[in-house]
Amino acid sequence: MSGGGLLVAGTTSDAGKSVVTAGICRWLVRQGVRVAPFKAQNMSLNSFVTREGAEIGRAQAMQAQACRIEPTALMNPVLLKPGGDRSSQVVLMGRPVGEMSARGYHGGRQEALLGTVLDCLAELRGTYDAVICEGAGSPAEINLRRTDIVNMGVARRAKLPVLVVGDIDRGGVFASFFGTVALLSPEDQAFVAGFLVNKFRGDVSLLEPGLEMLLGLTGRRTYGVLPFRHGLGIDEEDGLRISLRGTVRESNTAPPVGEDVLRVAVCAIPLMSNFTDVDALAAEPGVVVRFVDRPEELADADLVVIPGTRGTVKALEWLRERGLGDALVRRAAERRPILGICGGFQILGEHIDDEVESRRGSVDGLGLLPVRVRFAREKTLARPGGEALGEPVEGYEIHHGVAGLMGGDAFLDGCRVGQTWGTHWHGSLESDGFRRAFLREVAAAAGRRFVPAPGTSFAALREEQLDRLGDLIEQHADTDALWRLIESGAPQGLPFIPPGAPA
């Protein structure tokens, strides 16, 4: 017998689908329900490697953690990794299968993947009591409905009730709810059970008349009003929203242990991937993390991080065009700390030979580390572990570039020269002892009287965040009604709202 299910859709991208899905998952698992997450198709540069070596969206890995289970490729069978405005790498069941234009993907390839998507969902539903699915963008993208495999396309085939989330902080939430339903065909509308308001500020009683009118207009109830909460955007799919110059990543509110704070500047390079690597730094009391795109913004930084990227050569050119490349060279000569992760590590090397990603051939790197990089067609996907700076450390690898080390001191799988460090390992800073040891080195090199807090546990902080998401659902949603949806499907007899999808 198949387990229950629910699809969390949204009126827009960034309406809060990922965190709402995680919150429902955490609420259910606390009730003793065996639950798993699912997203048929994810477009993100923020990915993760499972224990079996499959690449999936990091949001689904976070949702699996909310369920207290190991993530697998079944939870995100299709991952699209943009390489520019018009093309993406297609990752199927955790393995890359090629580059494809948006026109080519939506012109036939996407429909061909529906069988794989439905098989994965059926396997999860046969294993768990409930599967909470996340949609993508909006289900009312009428130009894409014919080939849709992630919103109403999968909801109808798998007979999943749909909960539409709206971000009221943006304004226009009632129009967005009504318009979303009214642009769907009668067959699709039959599966849209109701709405969930997200990021509400103020007195809910002032909202209630609008919710009653929405019920009268659509015949669909609102299943909850979630209040606005800071610091819940964990493991977002899209790095662009935080890569704007001057944006400060939320840090732990605890005061620093030492006399000084430590300032971290993250270069907001194009096609930035796995920007969550710096979340563990931002979780440290006294560490201030910001994203920058101008050389003068490096002047007061105690540590500069060059993160991963889906376009190493493009990011290298961007750094040079903006003067950041020269600033990094000067900084390395002054023995001021720099950390390059994955694509950032490759940029710091002497030479890049790329006939795969950019197809630019031979390119000189910044020359700060004795490394030569060759791009291979086979992608490295791994979950390495080891020891560095006298502490155990784990990470994960996602890259086409193969680094040939020609010197320097050993550092994880990469090397260091002076205070310039490079590694392909994502997630290494989540290892608490290693992170503290690294920050002590950075503070000493920067001349800062910064002391890492001895008790900070990144894993515990992540669990606290997930519990806060579960609390939001438990305290501000009609959980009895939600469970009826998951168990029994959309209510029968939901009215059709004209005009419906265009012919």
Side-chain angles (χ1 to χ4, degrees):
M1 179 178 175
S2 292
L6 174 71
L7 189 140
V8 178
T11 56
T12 61
S13 293
D14 199 31
K17 297 184 292 292
S18 294
V19 293
V20 167
T21 300
I24 294 173
C25 287
R26 178 49 60 103
W27 159 64
L28 285 171
V29 81
R30 294 195 308 205
Q31 308 308 307
V33 177
R34 295 179 306 123
V35 59
F38 179 78
K39 184 163 185 173
Q41 171 197 291
N42 200 342
M43 178 172 279
S44 178
L45 289 174
N46 199 19
S47 58
F48 183 76
V49 179
T50 67
R51 292 286 179 197
E52 70 268 28
E55 184 179 9
I56 66 171
R58 177 117 185 171
Q60 279 60 66
M62 175 267 291
Q63 291 160 359
Q65 187 175 347
C67 298
R68 297 178 179 148
I69 58 176
E70 275 289 326
T72 73
L74 292 172
M75 299 170 187
N76 179 207
V78 183
L79 172 64
L80 305 178
K81 303 193 72 175
D85 292 336
R86 296 187 178 183
S87 68
S88 294
Q89 183 181 67
V90 181
V91 179
L92 178 61
M93 295 304 293
R95 295 288 172 180
V97 293
E99 296 279 337
M100 189 166 288
S101 69
R103 181 181 293 273
Y105 183 68
H106 291 286
R109 174 69 174 182
Q110 187 177 29
E111 284 178 288
L113 296 174
L114 181 59
T116 299
V117 163
L118 293 173
D119 287 346
C120 290
L121 178 56
E123 186 170 342
L124 289 172
R125 294 181 79 180
T127 305
Y128 293 92
D129 301 327
V131 178
I132 308 303
C133 307
E134 180 187 343
S138 161
E141 290 167 349
I142 54 180
N143 57 315
L144 302 177
R145 176 61 185 92
R146 182 180 62 82
T147 58
D148 171 50
I149 63 169
V150 65
N151 290 308
M152 302 312 301
V154 72
R156 274 177 60 182
R157 291 292 293 270
K159 295 182 169 49
L160 294 171
V162 177
L163 185 69
V164 180
V165 178
D167 178 358
I168 198 170
D169 201 43
R170 296 183 176 195
V173 75
F174 292 115
S176 298
F177 281 145
F178 183 88
T180 296
V181 179
L183 276 178
L184 300 177
S185 69
E187 294 82 4
D188 284 351
Q189 287 191 24
F191 288 90
V192 178
F195 313 108
L196 186 75
V197 176
N198 193 28
K199 303 181 188 177
F200 180 71
R201 306 172 193 249
D203 186 345
V204 176
S205 66
L206 298 176
L207 190 67
E208 286 170 351
L211 301 179
E212 287 296 320
M213 286 186 271
L214 184 66
L215 173 61
L217 288 165
T218 67
R220 291 158 174 86
R221 57 167 297 181
T222 298
Y223 284 77
V225 177
L226 307 185
F228 186 94
R229 291 287 186 268
H230 285 285
L232 292 181
I234 51 178
D235 290 0
E236 302 101 325
E237 294 179 356
D238 184 4
L240 296 177
R241 291 191 300 276
I242 62 162
S243 65
L244 301 176
R245 179 178 57 79
T247 300
V248 179
R249 197 131 174 94
E250 283 196 60
S251 299
N252 195 300
T253 55
V257 175
E259 297 178 45
D260 289 342
V261 297
L262 207 63
R263 296 171 176 82
V264 178
V266 184
C267 295
I269 55 179
L271 298 174
M272 181 168 50
S273 64
N274 290 75
F275 55 88
T276 47
D277 282 329
V278 300
D279 282 0
L281 295 178
E284 283 283 348
V287 175
V288 179
V289 178
R290 59 195 174 110
F291 288 79
V292 304
D293 66 357
R294 298 191 305 201
E296 54 268 29
E297 293 174 303
L298 305 187
D300 67 344
D302 302 307
L303 170 66
V304 174
V305 177
I306 309 174
T309 172
R310 174 80 164 85
T312 298
V313 172
K314 183 175 182 178
L316 175 60
E317 291 173 344
W318 182 88
L319 289 168
R320 284 183 166 136
E321 287 168 1
R322 290 177 170 261
L324 284 159
D326 288 339
L328 288 166
V329 172
R330 290 193 298 271
R331 184 180 182 90
E334 295 165 0
R335 297 180 67 84
R336 300 179 65 199
I338 300 170
L339 172 63
I341 302 173
C342 200
F345 168 39
Q346 297 165 8
I347 284 168
L348 294 176
E350 295 177 0
H351 187 80
I352 299 169
D353 184 10
D354 180 12
E355 297 290 353
V356 175
E357 191 176 76
S358 69
R359 298 176 184 169
R360 294 286 298 276
S362 181
V363 178
D364 288 333
L366 293 181
L368 305 184
L369 290 175
V371 175
R372 298 179 73 86
V373 177
R374 176 185 56 82
F375 273 70
R377 297 199 177 278
E378 186 74 18
K379 181 184 279 191
T380 297
L381 297 169
R383 288 281 294 269
E387 184 177 296
L389 304 180
E391 297 286 348
V393 57
E394 294 182 347
Y396 57 99
E397 295 184 62
I398 306 170
H399 54 92
H400 283 279
V402 179
L405 305 180
M406 300 179 296
D409 297 323
F411 176 63
L412 301 178
D413 70 324
C415 65
R416 65 175 289 193
V417 172
Q419 288 300 320
T420 301
W421 314 64
T423 177
H424 273 130
W425 289 20
H426 294 289
S428 62
L429 294 168
E430 296 178 18
S431 297
D432 299 323
F434 167 74
R435 181 181 64 253
R436 286 193 279 268
F438 177 70
L439 289 177
R440 281 193 290 270
E441 290 244 5
V442 168
R448 295 287 185 188
R449 290 171 294 183
F450 168 84
V451 178
T456 303
S457 166
F458 185 76
L461 290 171
R462 173 54 51 86
E463 278 296 302
E464 288 174 15
Q465 282 186 306
L466 293 171
D467 276 332
R468 288 172 67 198
L469 292 178
D471 292 344
L472 280 179
I473 298 299
E474 190 169 331
Q475 296 167 10
H476 301 282
D478 186 338
T479 52
D480 288 340
L482 268 183
W483 178 246
R484 285 195 296 273
L485 272 187
I486 293 167
E487 196 173 36
S488 304
Q492 297 296 306
L494 292 168
F496 169 69
I497 308 302

